[in-house]
Amino acid sequence: MRAAALRSSRRDVDAGTTHLASLNPSLLQDLQRFALSHRPGDGLDLLEVLAASLRHNSALLLHLQDDERVLQLQVLPASRQLRCELDTAPWLALGLLTLRVLRVGPLEMGSAFVPLGTAYDLGPMLWHLALHGARGELLPEIGGVATYRVTPGASLDVAEPVGALATAVQRLQGQTTPLREIASWPGFDRDRAERLLNALYLQSALIVTRSHPGALSGI
């Protein structure tokens, strides 16, 4: 009875050009809030969908489109993996800036699970997508009045930041800093600062502080 009730509570809706198919209500609501901030006719950004998958620990089957192809992507947050029919890592093979999410649906696990092609680490995809994808604004969970610091001991091996990014990560390891100050660092502007913070957050490598004095003037 409970499983039947859960299935009946799931429904198909559209978020712009992205079709949301049979998702559980909490995940559906999470994704729909992103659609409110997009222009009419735009679909969800892949970074938003992956972030929601992680927050809800929900395995998803996505249909994506870039300039060259349409493909399926399996998202497995419990093991922090992606699976797809690509011979090259998706963050290298796909046009991240123009990538569109056509459909988001639940991925059947257990005995019904049929893995696609090749497994890839989710970490590098999140890092590259945050830095080079379409979304240039802070994710809602880390936005607002806040200061930021890299989590002590956080591993960024999958990210391998270099140049100005590496310098910024080092500075954030030693000090709690508002967004406005990060955006003023060499090689940075507000867009790049927000992208870096999103990337760190999705690697579980960011501490967000709301009560630090710097937060009051740091947006």
Side-chain angles (χ1 to χ4, degrees), residues 6-7 9-13 19-25 27-28 103-106:
L6 178 60
R7 285 194 297 270
S9 70
R10 301 185 179 199
R11 56 195 178 96
D12 289 11
V13 299
H19 185 62
L20 307 178
S22 302
L23 300 175
N24 70 65
L27 177 59
L28 178 63
R103 186 179 188 276
V104 180

Side-chain angles (χ1 to χ4, degrees), residues 145-166:
V145 179
T147 55
Y148 306 93
R149 183 172 183 171
V150 169
T151 305
S155 173
L156 293 174
D157 292 343
V158 297
E160 298 181 352
V162 296
L165 286 176

Side-chain angles (χ1 to χ4, degrees), residues 38-199:
H38 291 308
R39 295 175 301 179
D42 285 351
L44 295 177
D45 180 75
L46 180 57
L47 188 72
E48 299 163 349
V49 176
L50 294 181
S53 173
L54 286 171
R55 277 193 299 275
H56 294 267
N57 195 30
S58 295
L60 297 175
L61 177 62
L62 311 181
H63 290 73
L64 308 177
Q65 182 180 25
D66 69 357
D67 292 333
E68 298 184 9
R69 78 210 92 195
V70 173
L71 78 157
Q72 292 183 333
L73 185 74
Q74 293 176 332
V75 185
L76 306 165
S79 58
R80 291 188 69 86
Q81 286 188 332
L82 302 169
R83 299 195 69 98
C84 60
E85 299 285 355
L86 289 173
D87 296 328
T88 304
W91 55 91
L92 300 176
L94 300 175
L96 300 182
L97 189 60
T98 59
L99 199 58
R100 298 175 59 210
V101 182
L102 303 179
R103 186 179 188 276
V104 180
L107 180 62
E108 295 295 333
M109 300 302 293
S111 60
F113 176 60
V114 179
L116 285 175
T118 304
Y120 295 99
D121 189 345
L122 181 57
M125 183 66 174
L126 292 168
W127 180 263
H128 288 279
L129 192 61
L131 293 177
H132 307 296
R135 184 180 177 91
E137 301 84 25
L138 288 177
L139 291 165
E141 289 69 31
I142 62 172
V145 179
T147 55
Y148 306 93
R149 183 172 183 171
V150 169
T151 305
S155 173
L156 293 174
D157 292 343
V158 297
E160 298 181 352
V162 296
L165 286 176
T167 301
V169 169
Q170 290 176 350
R171 293 180 72 169
L172 287 169
Q173 288 172 333
Q175 63 189 69
T176 300
T177 310
L179 172 60
R180 185 174 63 182
E181 183 176 338
I182 300 170
S184 70
W185 290 348
F188 274 79
D189 55 18
R190 188 180 180 94
D191 176 80
R192 199 174 194 202
E194 291 183 329
R195 288 176 178 276
L196 174 61
L197 293 174
N198 282 341

